[in-house]
Amino acid sequence: MYLYKIPAREFVKANSKRLAEWALSSGKLNLSSSYFEDPDFPEFGYGYPNANRLLSNRQPNPLFPYRNDCYLFITNQDLSTVEVLVIANGRNLAGAYYQRLIDGELDSEIEQLRAQAKPFFDYGSCL
């Protein structure tokens, strides 16, 4: 799976007060817009899947079953690397989870998840 950082204004139709600057998209499907609301912590953001049953092209939205999830983003400065944490059914509390991420309250859980992570594919084995 791959995602690109693209300007959200190119395709996201939203309230002008709620428009994100960036979106994570495969080119065919938008995973999420990315909201980076605290200028003191530009490496942390949040988002969530499109909650509409159908996409703008009238096709079924494959993320619809996950519409209540929350995504937390941990990035580097230019957003060339984005770590996505999925909180099942956390959409309604996205702001609270985002604040907990900024406050460092999730640091130990994140480190535990990183320690347990296993590579999905070893690119080094292809060389």
Side-chain angles (χ1 to χ4, degrees):
M1 180 170 84
Y2 59 91
L3 298 169
Y4 299 104
K5 172 189 84 168
I6 59 175
R9 289 177 179 15
E10 290 182 10
F11 66 93
V12 174
K13 293 172 180 51
N15 181 322
S16 62
K17 294 180 181 179
R18 190 69 188 121
L19 190 60
E21 183 175 357
W22 299 106
L24 294 177
S25 175
S26 68
K28 295 181 180 183
L29 179 68
N30 177 27
L31 175 71
S32 175
S33 294
S34 306
Y35 300 98
F36 296 91
E37 295 182 346
D38 192 324
D40 292 332
F41 296 92
E43 70 276 19
F44 298 133
Y46 70 94
Y48 25 78
N50 179 346
N52 294 328
R53 188 174 300 279
L54 299 176
L55 299 174
S56 60
N57 64 6
R58 308 309 296 161
Q59 295 293 315
N61 176 5
L63 296 175
F64 183 74
Y66 310 102
R67 65 191 175 278
N68 294 318
D69 290 352
C70 167
Y71 303 138
L72 295 178
F73 304 116
I74 302 172
T75 71
N76 60 354
Q77 188 172 17
D78 64 357
L79 275 82
S80 61
T81 301
V82 179
E83 201 172 354
V84 180
L85 306 171
V86 179
I87 301 173
N89 297 310
R91 182 182 185 120
N92 290 339
L93 296 172
Y97 284 116
Y98 175 62
Q99 191 60 53
R100 291 183 68 197
L101 179 66
I102 288 172
D103 291 344
E105 293 177 25
L106 302 177
D107 289 354
S108 62
E109 289 89 347
I110 292 169
E111 288 306 316
Q112 186 177 30
L113 290 170
R114 287 176 179 157
Q116 295 170 358
K118 296 179 183 165
F120 178 72
F121 182 79
D122 180 8
Y123 289 92
S125 66
C126 295
L127 302 176

